[in-house]
Structures are given as C-alpha cells and as structure tokens.
Amino acid sequence: MGYYVRVEKGVNVFVEDVNPTGRKTIVFIHGWPANHQMFEYQFNQLPAMGYRCIGIDLRGFGKSSKPWESYSYDRMANDIRIVIDTLDLEDISLAGHSMGGAISIRYMALHGGHKVAKLALIGAAAPVFTRRSDFPYGITVEEVNKLIEETYEDRPKMLSDFGDTFFARYLTKDFINWFHGLGLMASGNATAKCLVSLRDEDLRNDLPLIQVPTAILHGKQDKICPYVLGELLHQSISNSVLIPFEYSGHGLFYCEVEKFNQELKRFIG
C-alpha cells in the first residue's frame, strides 16, 4: 500500500505501508542518497514475521516531492512527525540508516521521542558525520565538498563511485545497477543540499535526550560512517546496545541481511 502525506504546502512525501495489521510497527528512514526501497530485503521478510513495515521517502528522494529548499535535519524530522500523526501511529520502532539515522536522532530530540517506543540506528551518520577541531572522526569536510561538486558536475558517476564503497560483499552487476538507480531517483539539488546538512549538522547535544531503548547496528568495515561512530553513540545514549556486524560495510542491511533482520526482530520483540 503506497500513498502520499502532505507535510507542507506543495510538498508531499511518499509512504509505503506493508502489512498494516502487523502486531508491531517499524518506521524506516533511508540514508543518503537512496530512498525507502533500499530496505527491500527487510520488507520482504519482516512482514512475514508479523511486523508492519512503513517506509518513508524523505523529501527530495524517491517518489516524494522535490522542493528547492528545506533540507535541514529539523525540517525532515518535522516531516516524519507529520507522517506519524497522519497515520495515527503508536509505540513505533523508528529505524534510521546513515543520514536517516541522524534525522531519527534529531526527531527524538526535537519531538521528545513522540510515539517512539524503540530506536534503531543503522550505520548512523552521527554523532557528527565530518571531522572538526573537537571531533577527529569520520570523513573530512573537504571530502564532502568534493561530493557536492561532483553531484553538480556528473551525478551518475558520483553515485557509482560512492556505491563502490557502500557494501563489503560480492554484488551482482544487476544489484549494483538497481542500487545505483535508487540514487538516480532523487533530485540532484536534494542530493547536494542533504550533503550540506550531513557536513554541517552536529547531533552531540541531541543524544542525551534519547530516553528509549536504542539498538546501534554498525558494520565493522564501514568506510562511510566508520565503526567508531557506533561506539561513540553507544557511549552517549543511555540504555543502548551496540551490535557489531563483522562482515559488513555501510550497507549492513544487505551485507549480512539474515543477521540484520534477526537482530532487528530480537531487539523490537
């Protein structure tokens, strides 16, 4: 079941709702630069385990509207709040990957964890995505600026190069082409504007505000959001558990798909 939710004048976000009668609800927030379809191998299995799975295409990505402005974490967290309230959801598990994990953290802080019973951070781009004087982890500001520049010059090549670092397992050419296509569904402007947010946002003050059980699932071989970021999140979020994925890169939801789905099931209950 797919439909649109109006989040502001002229902006609608696409929502896919699988198994609406499921006993527990998981809301998935995708990472940059893809859309909710990146969780296909969760949506294939988790509904059969009794879960309701809701995927949101963030503004600018997938089938959602692609406005020119408003790609801050605050704005996208507000979009999630509107979807949750419009669908009248209760006691959800919020699962965010990469930038989606960062936005999920901002949602928890900005909206007081509204309607969220559990939080799953998947290779999250947090506490901070880029290095700074008091945070020597992650990639450099210059590397993100280069991605922005490449987005405006040759976005398909940028996406292809980025995809090469995403997974830590053998991929068929067909899978690579499919995943590449997810990024192409976004607008180039949204792709670049979200890179600016990834580069500049800082979530360290948000973390103490998270008051629900939190699972931090992180690939040991992650080249985009290094494993140390998961360790730092675990240190800063009370009532959290760190679940390492030894054989995974950034795309742990596919690198170790069976383990990922089982760990998510075990955590959510």
Side-chain angles (χ1 to χ4, degrees):
M1 182 187 301
Y3 40 78
Y4 287 91
V5 173
R6 182 179 184 271
V7 292
E8 64 175 329
K9 184 178 180 181
V11 180
N12 301 300
V13 299
F14 180 78
V15 178
E16 183 173 5
D17 190 351
V18 180
N19 192 25
T21 60
R23 58 187 178 82
K24 290 189 177 181
T25 301
I26 311 171
V27 175
F28 290 88
I29 311 299
H30 66 83
W32 179 94
N35 56 62
H36 86 277
Q37 292 180 48
M38 71 187 297
F39 295 113
E40 176 175 332
Y41 298 91
Q42 284 64 58
F43 280 57
N44 284 349
Q45 295 185 28
L46 292 171
M49 300 176 188
Y51 296 100
R52 178 185 186 184
C53 292
I54 295 174
I56 300 173
D57 283 350
L58 295 169
R59 57 172 59 213
F61 297 85
K63 297 179 181 179
S64 290
S65 299
K66 298 169 174 64
W68 182 251
E69 298 289 355
S70 300
Y71 291 97
S72 69
Y73 287 177
D74 281 6
R75 178 62 255 184
M76 291 186 282
N78 287 341
D79 291 350
I80 293 168
R81 168 71 183 259
I82 293 168
V83 171
I84 288 171
D85 286 346
T86 300
L87 272 58
D88 196 24
L89 302 178
E90 298 280 350
D91 297 323
I92 69 167
S93 293
L94 184 62
H97 174 260
S98 195
M99 182 182 76
I103 293 166
S104 297
I105 291 170
R106 178 56 51 81
Y107 175 87
M108 299 300 292
L110 191 63
H111 295 288
H114 177 72
K115 304 296 186 181
V116 177
K118 292 187 177 182
L119 176 67
L121 301 175
I122 307 158
V128 186
F129 183 59
T130 51
R131 297 177 204 169
R132 46 202 72 192
S133 59
D134 61 344
F135 192 82
Y137 313 103
I139 67 175
T140 65
V141 168
E142 290 73 25
E143 287 175 292
V144 179
N145 288 340
K146 187 169 184 290
L147 286 172
I148 294 171
E149 183 180 324
E150 291 172 348
T151 297
Y152 287 124
E153 289 179 350
D154 189 343
R155 185 166 66 100
K157 184 178 186 305
M158 182 280 293
L159 291 172
S160 180
D161 292 344
F162 183 77
D164 286 344
T165 67
F166 209 92
F167 299 97
R169 61 170 282 186
Y170 169 77
L171 303 171
T172 64
K173 183 180 179 183
D174 295 314
F175 183 93
I176 293 168
N177 291 339
W178 169 76
F179 192 73
H180 181 69
L182 299 185
L184 289 174
M185 289 178 69
S187 79
N189 173 62
T191 302
K193 292 281 177 61
C194 282
L195 281 169
V196 172
S197 293
L198 277 161
R199 182 192 67 194
D200 296 345
E201 295 265 15
D202 187 336
L203 295 151
R204 285 177 287 185
N205 290 334
D206 299 50
L207 300 178
L209 302 177
I210 297 173
Q211 300 296 320
V212 301
T214 301
I216 300 158
L217 304 96
H218 217 107
K220 281 287 195 77
Q221 301 178 47
D222 197 326
K223 296 178 181 177
I224 296 165
C225 294
Y227 185 73
V228 65
L229 297 188
E231 294 177 323
L232 293 168
L233 288 173
H234 180 43
Q235 292 170 15
S236 300
I237 300 174
S238 61
N239 198 16
S240 67
V241 58
L242 176 60
I243 304 170
F245 286 72
E246 297 287 342
Y247 308 107
S248 291
H250 198 48
L252 62 159
F253 53 87
Y254 186 71
C255 288
E256 295 179 77
V257 60
E258 296 299 335
K259 175 182 176 180
F260 180 88
N261 290 345
Q262 287 301 321
E263 291 288 1
L264 201 56
K265 176 186 176 185
R266 183 178 296 112
F267 171 68
I268 293 170

